[in-house]
Amino acid sequence: MQIKGGHIKDLFEPKSIAIVGVSNKKSKIGYKILYNVISGGYEGNIYPVNPKGGFILKKKVFKSIKDVPEKVDLATIVVSAKYVFPVVKECVDHGVKNVSIITSGFSEIGNVTLENEIADYAQKRGIRILGPNIFGIYSAQSSLNATFGPDCILPGKVAIITQSGALGLSMIGKTSVENIGLSAIVSVGNKSDIDEADLLEYLVKHDKTKIILMYIEGVCDGETLIRSLKKATKIKPVVVIKSGSSKRGAIAAASHTGSLAGSDKIFQEIMEQCGVLRAESIKDAFNWCKFLSQSSYPQGDKCVIITNGGGIGVMATDACEKFGISLYDDKEMLHTIFKDVTPDFGSTKNPIDLTGQATSKDYNLALEAALKNDNIHSVIALYCETAVFDADNLSHMIEENSKKFLKRKKPILFSIFGGEKTELCLNKLKKKHVPVFSDVYESVKSLGSLYKHNEYIIEKKEAFKKNKFQSGSSDVDILHFKNKYNLDLSKINTIIARIKADNRTFLLSNEAQELMKACNITVPSILIARTLDEAILASEKIGYPVVMKILSRDIIHKSDAGGVALNLENKAEVIDAYQAIMYRARQYNPHAHIDGIEVTEMVKKSTETIIGARRDSIFGPIVMFGLGGIYVEIMKDVSFRSFPLNTKDAMAMVKGIKSYPLLLGVRGEKKKDIPSVLDTILKLGALVYCCPDISDIEINPLVVFKDGKGSKAVDVRVLLSSSNNGDKNE
Ligand code: COA
């Protein structure tokens, strides 16, 4: 079987390329691709292929790929859909390493079988496929423009991977207009074989690529993508634009974890966990790519705003708060740094207000003061057009200061706002790769993305120092998590085997409690009674008040069947409740097999949370957290992460819900035992990770007591995956 990632380097850096389906008709895609390959300056061998032979664009045309005198690294296929498979077979026979299939008419229009057959055939024979349904690939490394897009692509530091062809093609044009240089642009189309994860492997190691932008519509193999993104973002920023609703939305909701798993929410939170910068618009994405590919990283988190306008300064301050940028606020120090460069009627409080009378000289002095001071780590410089400013010096002032800041590795952005002169200056500077914006919000947002990535890298480095564990083989991972979270895997597997032998895909509540105990998750005291006498004895042993619940594999929704009695305070109440539960259960389902009655401790009231874990069909193991009751049911106030995750990630997840302050204690209530919540999240994640048979677990509620007093998993619902099982589920 083909090793994934096999020939990806040859896709970006081919020594030879064939264009199968080349044409001498200028209107055809086959002609355009050959034209682009030649005019782009590709220096490898070029082999046009068309049964008619002859010459096109002065290149000899080969009648078949079989006649090409070498094993080419890349064959671009531009024949109509019905001829693609035979051409791929010829490519395989002729030792081609990669094919990029431009042709449309496959899975995107429902022609899934043919696409899969081609991909299977190629993969089994060690040939990689890009596409089908793509515009091709551009790689600055080898001056290769094997696309049917514009013939003139500006080389540079940004790599783009796009699922949308038309959008990708127009991005090529737009990047040129915006003066964004590309190191590569690849269209992945239907992703029959090569996907984003494969391409990331190459681009992460590619030194000339400083930032990667991905446009994603749908994810097929989320687990691999997560792994690749986690690796990539530790090295360089990855910006993602995601549109469209994912296939996940259609997955039947088996639990809250499932039903709350709005596809975009999961995607968003997992991307954040992977350190990805998610852009809402192409404009944001391009701004970030431009800025991050040319800026150095800040040495600390303190930022200063320098402005000649109060209003714009306040706008920038608001934006800083929104995008997580800390403003330097040591007033005395700020006064010392800026007092000599600010007029008496200005302000040395951050924002530093040079006032409307500021000239380029005033900006130079203030920026110099910020540059020299080590307590200031980044600068946002704002300019509102005024009649007193020597406008002819504006672009010079900005350019010179940008250079100085770059040299000293201190990030700076300019936001300039005004009329014609300012616009001219803006366009001139953009062409010179100077970080200048017309909108203050956009500039602050761009700096925010730099900080976000910087913080992610720092955090990951710290985590690596503390915990050298790196994901290895899956067996090693399982052993690691088993030990780390103290999971009794042999007991867990015995329980699961028993359920499977019983041909069930759900666990009875006592079995679910048993499973929790094997994970060292605290559950309420529980005893099973098969007679009234046993129920009385169990209640006395546990201590009043108690709860009684019917225990039957045929009655899943116990409350609906009248099979639950709460807060039973004494023997008389237990006798009444026992008889009532049995009677109602018989009425509800006369044929139900009744295993007995479960007597449990009545757990004291405290904050109720819901913790879930499931094996997502796209992203693999994911965990969910929310507060119980209306917070989850009505407000859908939940957060998700993919597993593995560390305690810090779990804390971010808990803090990520709006109702988090309730765990800190409100209206005189004590703070709740948050470490116990984190522990339960991590254990459930590890359980689903280590046991592929478990598809869903939900603790609802996990009652969390005051700090130091732990928590109890009161109700636990567990589903096994239905493969290999009979379907005796609800
Ligand atoms: N080997 C080499 N050349 C072959 C061939 C083979 N086995 N079989 C046919 N050809 C030749 C044809 O004779 C033709 O040559 P000609 O122009 O000299 O007559 C040439 O290859 C192209 O084939 P043709 O059947 O005429 O197709 P086309 O050029 O009209 O269209 C595609 C081909 C791939 C462009 C078209 O099918 C398609 O899919 N278009 C959409 C592409 C797209 O939008 N992709 C997604 C972008 S995001």
Side-chain angles (χ1 to χ4, degrees), residues 161-353:
I161 301 172
T162 170
Q163 198 172 350
S164 162
L167 195 65
L169 282 172
S170 52
M171 276 191 198
I172 301 180
K174 189 71 179 159
T175 49
S176 274
V177 172
E178 291 285 327
N179 210 32
I180 299 174
L182 298 180
S183 61
I185 180 161
V186 192
S187 163
V188 285
N190 299 358
K191 299 193 263 193
S192 70
D193 170 23
I194 293 173
D195 62 10
E196 292 89 351
D198 293 304
L199 301 171
L200 278 172
E201 294 253 328
Y202 170 86
L203 292 169
V204 165
K205 291 183 208 135
H206 184 239
D207 284 344
K208 289 182 188 153
T209 297
K210 299 292 173 210
I211 184 163
I212 300 162
L213 166 62
M214 304 204 305
Y215 172 82
I216 300 178
E217 279 169 1
V219 179
C220 304
D221 181 359
E223 279 189 89
T224 310
L225 182 65
I226 289 171
R227 271 197 299 276
S228 305
L229 283 172
K230 280 184 176 169
K231 268 195 225 162
T233 51
K234 277 184 212 147
I235 297 166
K236 51 187 78 169
V238 178
V239 177
V240 167
I241 310 175
K242 158 93 165 53
S243 68
S245 56
S246 101
K247 290 164 196 155
R248 282 214 69 272
I251 295 168
S255 64
H256 272 110
T257 319
S259 58
L260 291 164
S263 57
D264 196 63
K265 187 163 173 61
I266 292 195
F267 184 83
Q268 169 65 23
E269 298 196 355
I270 290 179
M271 287 302 108
E272 232 162 76
Q273 189 187 349
C274 293
V276 161
L277 303 168
R278 184 161 178 203
E280 280 168 21
S281 66
I282 293 178
K283 189 163 196 190
D284 276 351
F286 276 16
N287 278 341
W288 302 352
C289 284
K290 239 191 304 188
F291 178 57
L292 269 71
S293 64
Q294 64 207 21
S295 173
S296 49
Y297 279 74
Q299 300 302 308
D301 65 346
K302 296 290 175 267
C303 176
V304 160
I305 299 169
I306 296 174
T307 181
N308 68 345
I312 202 167
V314 176
M315 280 170 75
T317 308
D318 290 346
C320 283
E321 194 172 302
K322 181 163 179 169
F323 300 115
I325 297 169
S326 316
L327 290 177
Y328 186 39
D329 63 357
D330 183 333
K331 291 187 183 58
E332 273 177 37
M333 189 60 99
L334 282 164
H335 185 69
T336 312
I337 302 168
F338 292 107
K339 68 177 185 318
D340 295 337
V341 295
T342 315
D344 294 342
F345 42 89
S347 171
T348 60
K349 291 180 194 136
N350 201 0
I352 313 300
D353 191 351

Side-chain angles (χ1 to χ4, degrees), residues 21 23 25 28 50-52 78-80 87 102-104 133-134 165:
S23 174
K25 298 174 189 79
K28 286 203 170 188
N50 182 307
K52 290 172 191 150
V78 229
V79 296
S80 49
V87 169
I102 305 287
T103 314
S104 301
N133 189 31
I134 57 169

Side-chain angles (χ1 to χ4, degrees), residues 385-594:
E385 193 172 295
T386 66
V388 292
F389 191 93
D390 38 343
D392 295 339
N393 282 336
L394 181 61
S395 62
H396 184 255
M397 180 277 283
I398 294 176
E399 199 178 345
E400 286 309 302
N401 280 296
S402 295
K403 278 187 200 157
K404 282 191 207 163
F405 273 71
L406 194 62
K407 213 167 165 188
R408 291 275 287 267
K409 295 195 163 60
K410 196 178 273 198
I412 186 168
L413 306 91
F414 289 84
S415 181
I416 62 176
F417 189 66
E420 204 175 327
K421 279 189 175 173
T422 306
E423 280 299 304
L424 281 173
C425 171
L426 191 83
N427 291 332
K428 188 171 148 191
L429 290 170
K430 273 185 179 175
K431 288 204 174 96
K432 293 183 172 180
H433 299 288
V434 177
V436 62
F437 300 79
S438 57
D439 180 62
V440 72
Y441 218 64
E442 282 179 20
S443 61
V444 178
K445 214 172 178 182
S446 297
L447 184 61
S449 69
L450 180 73
Y451 266 112
K452 204 168 175 187
H453 188 241
N454 194 43
E455 278 159 24
Y456 181 80
I457 293 176
I458 293 169
E459 188 194 308
K460 288 298 147 195
K461 278 188 186 146
E462 290 297 312
F464 185 73
K465 269 188 230 154
K466 269 194 228 145
N467 177 11
K468 290 268 180 187
F469 167 75
Q470 290 288 292
S471 231
S473 75
S474 140
D475 284 350
V476 174
D477 290 354
I478 289 174
L479 191 66
H480 170 82
F481 291 127
K482 169 190 176 303
N483 294 334
K484 183 166 181 178
Y485 297 114
N486 204 5
L487 308 180
D488 186 344
L489 276 188
S490 69
K491 183 143 193 209
I492 292 166
N493 288 330
T494 311
I495 299 169
I496 293 172
R498 211 167 62 215
I499 314 305
K500 284 169 82 173
D502 199 22
N503 209 20
R504 274 186 286 135
T505 54
F506 62 93
L507 271 67
L508 294 173
S509 57
N510 60 319
E511 293 162 338
Q513 300 276 357
E514 210 186 327
L515 193 76
M516 291 299 99
K517 281 188 199 160
C519 299
N520 267 297
I521 293 173
T522 312
V523 293
S525 308
I526 176 169
L527 289 168
I528 307 296
R530 286 177 221 288
T531 63
L532 176 58
D533 284 346
E534 279 182 19
I536 297 166
L537 217 64
S539 304
E540 275 158 14
K541 214 165 177 182
I542 287 168
Y544 293 105
V546 293
V547 175
M548 293 208 307
K549 292 180 197 166
I550 192 78
L551 189 61
S552 166
R553 67 202 60 205
D554 301 314
I555 303 175
I556 302 299
H557 300 292
K558 301 172 204 270
S559 298
D560 294 355
V564 180
L566 302 174
N567 212 12
L568 307 171
E569 306 242 11
N570 50 47
K571 185 175 166 183
E573 287 186 11
V574 165
I575 295 170
D576 284 352
Y578 184 93
Q579 283 160 350
I581 287 174
M582 284 300 190
Y583 173 77
R584 286 193 295 249
R586 289 263 166 262
Q587 294 278 306
Y588 182 76
N589 182 352
H591 306 292
H593 174 87
I594 297 192

Side-chain angles (χ1 to χ4, degrees), residues 9-161:
K9 190 166 188 279
D10 299 315
L11 180 72
F12 285 92
E13 299 171 32
K15 288 180 202 64
S16 49
I17 176 171
I19 299 132
V20 186
V22 73
S23 174
N24 60 6
K25 298 174 189 79
K26 287 187 179 168
S27 60
K28 286 203 170 188
I29 291 179
Y31 176 88
K32 181 68 182 162
I33 291 180
L34 177 62
Y35 179 84
N36 279 351
V37 170
I38 296 170
S39 66
Y42 175 67
E43 284 180 355
N45 297 330
I46 305 169
Y47 300 107
V49 178
N50 182 307
K52 290 172 191 150
F55 283 84
I56 302 176
L57 290 166
K58 296 187 184 149
K59 291 272 169 200
K60 175 180 161 41
V61 176
F62 293 80
K63 292 194 172 170
S64 159
I65 186 83
K66 289 182 205 154
D67 302 334
V68 169
E70 66 173 297
K71 296 179 173 182
V72 296
D73 286 342
L74 173 62
T76 293
I77 298 180
V78 229
V79 296
S80 49
K82 59 178 183 278
Y83 299 124
V84 169
F85 201 0
V87 169
V88 169
K89 283 180 179 165
E90 282 177 11
C91 287
V92 167
D93 293 344
H94 200 60
V96 170
K97 289 185 184 164
N98 298 283
V99 295
S100 84
I101 304 175
I102 305 287
T103 314
S104 301
F106 292 92
S107 64
E108 82 282 5
I109 56 155
N111 196 0
V112 181
T113 314
L114 180 59
E115 182 173 307
N116 288 345
E117 273 172 17
I118 296 172
D120 254 30
Y121 184 88
Q123 267 188 11
K124 282 188 183 129
R125 289 156 183 86
I127 181 170
R128 303 298 312 258
I129 292 186
L130 183 65
N133 189 31
I134 57 169
F135 62 73
I137 176 168
Y138 162 77
S139 166
Q141 183 69 41
S142 40
S143 304
L144 175 71
N145 180 3
T147 74
F148 64 91
D151 51 19
C152 192
I153 303 180
L154 193 69
K157 303 171 185 171
V158 180
I160 300 180
I161 301 172

